[in-house]
């Protein structure tokens, strides 16, 4: 299944135009995201990380891990005791990949001794699991959204992993995500490139230089 929710804008779930509809009959944007950059609403400020643009939602902290060149390896949104890790990947033009990816995640968890079960959520079939970590037992909820030539994967931790209604502002961020896939050919499942905004990367470089000189580093 590609997208669990219908887009009432004359497109099917992959964003393909549906025959029999006219542009005049289509709303400007889908009712909810994640959105493709070609149809994203300009309804809120977003943090531009390249292939992902994350809504600026009050009380949600965006944490990233990036290398010295500003290339991001991990994006995690935090609100209270809940967290949402985000990833975005290339997908084929003809079909979504979440069903296949979800089964591979389930099998990997099983091999590690963790049971996982499929549940129905707002975006279709999700995966819930309970895993053992150095900090103890942790609940996880995997959410996948197939778009036009991309897939967004989200992993909830905290109470939101077992109670979707507890996701609150994190769910608002997921609904408002924008994916800028670009036009380059990419291998299926390859992570789409994420980078720090230039001004943030420049601040981080300046802070590193200051620390190397023995001065007090500046917060970024």
């Amino acid at each position: 299944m590609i997208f669990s929710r219908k887009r009432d804008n004359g497109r099917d779930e992959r964003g393909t135009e549906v025959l029999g509809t006219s542009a005049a009959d289509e709303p400007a944007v889908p009712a909810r995201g994640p959105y493709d950059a070609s149809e994203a609403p300009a309804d809120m400020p977003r943090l531009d990380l390249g292939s992902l643009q994350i809504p600026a939602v009050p009380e949600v902290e965006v944490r990233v891990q990036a290398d010295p060149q500003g290339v991001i390896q991990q994006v995690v949104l935090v609100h209270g005791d809940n967290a949402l890790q985000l990833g975005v990947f290339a997908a084929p033009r003809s079909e979504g990949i979440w069903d296949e990816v979800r089964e591979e995640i389930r099998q990997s968890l099983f091999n590690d001794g963790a049971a996982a079960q499929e549940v129905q959520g707002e975006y279709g079939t999700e995966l819930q699991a309970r895993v053992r970590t150095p900090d103890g037992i942790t609940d996880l909820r995997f959410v996948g959204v197939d778009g036009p030539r991309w897939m967004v994967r989200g992993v909830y931790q905290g109470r939101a992993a077992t109670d979707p209604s507890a996701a609150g502002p994190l769910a608002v961020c997921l609904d408002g995500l924008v994916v800028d896939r670009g036009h380059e050919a990419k291998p299926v499942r390859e992570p789409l490139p994420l980078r720090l905004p230039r001004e943030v990367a420049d601040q981080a470089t300046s802070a590193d230089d200051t620390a190397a000189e023995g001065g007090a580093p500046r917060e970024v």
Side-chain angles (χ1 to χ4, degrees):
M1 176 176 63
I2 313 304
F3 284 123
S4 63
R5 78 275 193 225
K6 294 293 184 180
R7 293 173 177 253
D8 298 324
N9 66 338
R11 294 174 180 270
D12 67 8
E13 293 98 339
R14 288 190 296 271
T16 305
E17 290 188 2
V18 179
L19 296 179
T21 63
S22 66
D25 295 331
E26 295 182 13
V29 297
R32 64 185 295 193
Y35 303 96
D36 189 73
S38 64
E39 55 187 10
D43 57 348
M44 64 177 68
R46 292 180 172 88
L47 175 64
D48 189 349
L49 300 181
S51 296
L52 267 186
Q53 298 169 26
I54 300 175
V57 175
E59 301 182 3
V60 172
E61 178 184 358
V62 180
R63 299 178 183 176
V64 301
Q65 292 182 0
D67 64 18
Q69 288 71 47
V71 178
I72 296 172
Q73 278 83 44
Q74 187 178 76
V75 179
V76 180
L77 311 185
V78 178
H79 178 259
D81 295 330
N82 292 319
L84 173 62
Q85 181 178 347
L86 294 172
V88 60
F89 306 89
R93 186 185 302 274
S94 58
E95 61 183 358
I97 60 175
W98 171 236
D99 286 348
E100 184 177 344
V101 169
R102 186 179 67 253
E103 174 57 26
E104 292 180 359
I105 294 172
R106 189 197 64 78
Q107 186 62 50
S108 177
L109 290 167
F110 177 81
N111 293 340
D112 290 337
Q117 63 176 347
E118 293 186 343
V119 297
Q120 289 302 307
E122 291 186 348
Y123 290 100
T125 307
E126 303 175 352
L127 200 63
Q128 286 186 346
R130 177 166 289 185
V131 300
R132 189 178 300 276
T133 71
D135 298 325
I137 300 298
T138 299
D139 290 305
L140 303 175
R141 177 162 60 95
F142 297 83
V143 178
V145 183
D146 287 306
R149 301 178 66 212
W150 51 258
M151 183 198 76
V152 168
R153 185 194 64 203
V155 186
Y156 281 104
Q157 299 182 53
R159 192 159 65 92
T162 55
D163 180 7
S165 67
L170 296 181
V172 175
C173 288
L174 184 58
D175 280 352
L177 280 181
V178 174
V179 178
D180 188 350
R181 165 65 173 76
H183 301 291
E184 302 85 359
K186 296 182 182 297
V188 173
R189 303 196 193 189
E190 178 178 293
L192 299 182
L194 301 174
R195 296 191 63 86
L196 291 172
R198 180 177 297 275
E199 61 273 16
V200 175
D202 289 345
Q203 288 178 13
T205 300
S206 176
D208 290 342
D209 291 344
T210 301
E213 294 170 1
R218 181 174 59 177
E219 290 188 2
V220 177

